[in-house]
Amino acid sequence: MPSNKNFSDVDIDRIIEMAWEDRTPFDAIRFQFGLAEADVKALMKRELKFSSYKLWRKRVENCKTKHLAKRVSGIDRFKCKLQRIISNNKISKR
């Protein structure tokens, strides 16, 4: 993970939450927090128990919605309807 990124505990929790969400692509995490996919993987490995990290990696590898290039054309958003309420996200819905 980039050394210049100092995230609060709340930010780390939100990144982990977004990483676990099937419909949230890595590009959304990059847009919101400036972390590339490899950085998210490193954060998850550091913050989760190893067994949880392995489960997450297996899930991500099989999840077509985590990578925009693999997504079905009908999915054109990266936020759930409740995300703004949950995280006070200021990104406007389109």
Side-chain angles (χ1 to χ4, degrees):
M1 189 157 85
S3 59
N4 60 349
K5 298 285 184 183
N6 293 320
F7 294 110
S8 68
D9 290 341
V10 173
D11 288 341
I12 291 172
D13 287 345
R14 182 62 187 137
I15 293 166
I16 292 170
E17 182 181 7
M18 291 174 77
W20 272 104
E21 292 170 349
D22 289 339
R23 292 181 63 104
T24 304
F26 288 110
D27 291 336
I29 298 171
R30 175 181 287 160
F31 178 78
Q32 201 164 3
F33 295 98
L35 293 177
E37 181 178 343
D39 299 329
V40 174
K41 289 176 183 176
L43 182 139
M44 295 292 278
K45 190 172 188 176
R46 186 182 72 235
E47 296 292 330
L48 298 178
K49 293 187 297 184
F50 186 69
S51 60
S52 298
Y53 172 74
K54 284 181 18 181
L55 287 172
W56 174 76
R57 287 287 291 143
K58 184 176 179 181
R59 181 176 173 159
V60 166
E61 288 176 8
N62 295 322
C63 184
K64 294 180 180 168
T65 56
K66 289 304 277 185
H67 300 89
L68 290 180
K70 295 181 183 178
R71 275 188 169 205
V72 188
S73 61
I75 301 174
D76 60 355
R77 62 183 174 84
F78 61 79
K79 298 187 307 179
C80 72
K81 294 176 184 176
L82 299 175
Q83 183 175 352
R84 185 172 186 158
I85 296 167
I86 294 169
S87 66
N88 295 319
N89 189 346
K90 303 300 184 212
I91 301 171
S92 64
K93 294 183 180 179
R94 297 192 165 116

